[in-house]
Amino acid sequence: MLSPKIKYLLYLADNALILGHRNSEWCGHGPILEQDIAVTNISLDLVGQARNFYQYAASEIGNNTTEDSLAYLRDVREFKNCLITELPNGDWGQTILRQFFFSTYQYFLYTALKDCNDEQLAAIAEKSLKEVTYHVRWSSEWVIRLGDGTAESHQRMLTALDNLWNYTGEMLIPSAYEKEINEALAIKGADSLAEKWNRKIKEVLEEATLPVPQSAWSQQGGKEGMHTEHLGYILAEMQFLQRAYPGVEW
Amino acid sequence: MLRKFYYGDYGESKNGAADISTSGEQKKEWPLWEVFIRSRQGLDHKHAGSLHAADARMAVENARDVYTRRMEGVSIWVVESKYIHASNPDEAAEFYDPANDKAYRHPTFYDLPDELKHM
């Protein structure tokens, strides 16, 4: 049975790894060279964050656990990432809208974590926050460009909004282990995450001439290991090499 | 008549990608921008390369993503390539050769006192 702290670290790590992996699928397929590089830079930032959280989790778990065994040798039900991170990329609009939703969440979360009473977690959050601040800037600008762009780009953003909105609530509804950690590590501002997130999203969507959806219902389950069918395919691709050739290195 | 274009010279009559939007065709290409980066130690911005972007803000961000991934810079300038006018290679002879035999323009004929350093 994993402690709430380990679950929490894995939650942070899995979010970053899975979203990083999704973004990396754009490598070589970006709409233009410069944005191909931009989105894969974000991938690298996220995978880097995942490594920091996995390393910390591995040291807490012990028993020869490593960052690699956590990333490559756990199965779907053990992953705790939010469902929104594992959804298919869709078009460029959907990818950047998801990035905007998730980066905004990470921004407020890491801002709260950097002042928590766990030194190592606070340090990782502080380092990651610089990266995430840029991700928010980059993605929000794209949301505005496309939302307030041509008729086609506006329509595509509406579709993306429709596809993603019901997956946003999960980020903001704390699981049992998040509640325990918020208490145990004295994470200030954890209870106002939803309010801050909603305010920022509203501000950007309005500037993008996009409606703020009113639906409050949300898909959930990822935080407890109940995933969409998409995560299995991601893991199959990501973990294949380590599963087929255990311990292989290059 | 064939009009020649030189590197960085998009000319007033041919505004790079910008004129595509007015030609009735669908606008496909973003304008080209030249990127200048100042490194941590450097005092001046140096030309780093070029990239495509829809506007100046995007150009600065693209430059950040394309040209400062390895800690190359602490400051970025961008300018749309069409605003850079280049000298004409066909005129290289009259432009540059006359300086060849004017060695006296280099301050190499002075005897410097030993105390003077960093010259």
Side-chain angles (χ1 to χ4, degrees), chain A residues 28-213:
Chain A
H29 301 277
I32 186 165
L33 174 87
E34 289 81 356
Q35 296 305 325
D36 193 298
I37 295 176
V39 74
T40 42
N41 274 350
I42 292 177
S43 278
L44 290 171
D45 287 345
L46 289 171
V47 173
Q49 291 171 18
R51 288 192 61 189
N52 288 327
F53 293 128
Y54 281 137
Q55 284 165 0
Y56 189 18
S59 72
E60 292 280 309
I61 297 168
N63 294 328
N64 298 325
T65 309
T66 66
E67 51 176 318
D68 287 329
S69 67
L70 290 172
Y72 294 121
L73 299 177
R74 282 181 308 143
D75 208 347
V76 171
R77 287 296 303 272
E78 296 163 271
F79 272 76
K80 307 194 188 310
N81 57 285
C82 293
L83 301 177
I84 195 171
T85 63
E86 70 201 39
L87 295 180
N89 287 336
D91 58 13
W92 181 250
Q94 185 165 322
T95 295
I96 55 113
L97 185 63
R98 171 178 57 193
Q99 192 64 49
F100 171 59
F101 285 158
F102 203 78
S103 293
T104 303
Y105 166 66
Q106 281 185 315
Y107 176 82
F108 292 120
L109 179 62
Y110 290 170
T111 303
L113 285 180
K114 76 176 168 39
D115 298 319
C116 76
N117 68 16
D118 184 295
E119 237 172 72
Q120 190 162 350
L121 186 55
I124 299 172
E126 188 167 4
K127 176 175 179 289
S128 308
L129 187 58
K130 284 185 197 164
E131 298 169 343
V132 170
T133 302
Y134 186 77
H135 304 167
V136 172
R137 173 187 161 134
W138 176 85
S139 58
S140 58
E141 271 184 30
W142 266 107
V143 170
I144 294 164
R145 273 176 204 288
L146 295 182
D148 193 15
T150 64
E152 184 187 351
S153 70
H154 183 79
Q155 189 54 46
R156 281 172 181 260
M157 291 309 283
L158 288 177
T159 307
L161 203 50
D162 207 33
N163 290 341
L164 294 176
W165 186 256
N166 284 347
Y167 290 90
T168 56
E170 185 187 14
M171 302 182 275
L172 307 166
I173 302 168
S175 59
Y177 54 84
E178 284 176 278
K179 285 180 188 159
E180 285 190 54
I181 288 301
N182 288 341
E183 189 90 8
L185 302 187
I187 298 171
K188 292 184 199 71
D191 46 0
S192 58
L193 271 185
E195 185 196 327
K196 290 175 189 151
W197 186 87
N198 277 305
R199 198 181 313 136
K200 173 74 179 177
I201 296 312
K202 185 166 179 278
E203 181 190 308
V204 170
L205 288 184
E206 277 174 2
E207 197 176 340
T209 70
L210 292 167
V212 182

Side-chain angles (χ1 to χ4, degrees), chain B residues 18-106:
Chain B
D19 73 339
I20 293 176
S21 60
T22 57
S23 69
E25 281 178 56
Q26 213 189 350
K27 185 170 179 176
K28 290 198 182 99
E29 283 278 317
W30 288 335
L32 194 66
W33 299 73
E34 300 302 320
V35 178
F36 300 84
I37 307 269
R38 182 162 71 78
S39 68
R40 207 167 290 274
Q41 304 86 358
L43 295 172
D44 50 353
H45 288 70
K46 290 201 164 60
H47 188 228
S50 53
L51 49 72
H52 289 94
D55 57 32
R57 193 173 165 98
M58 192 197 280
V60 171
E61 289 177 7
N62 286 353
R64 180 261 189 198
D65 282 322
V66 176
Y67 291 111
T68 67
R69 286 154 47 93
R70 299 172 188 87
M71 303 194 298
E72 290 93 336
V74 292
S75 171
I76 296 171
W77 287 351
V78 294
V79 61
E80 247 190 284
S81 306
K82 69 179 181 186
Y83 294 118
I84 293 183
H85 299 270
S87 61
N88 187 340
D90 291 346
E91 297 166 344
E94 61 264 38
F95 256 60
Y96 310 112
D97 290 353
N100 279 352
D101 61 351
K102 308 207 170 42
Y104 50 81
R105 287 178 182 164
H106 296 280

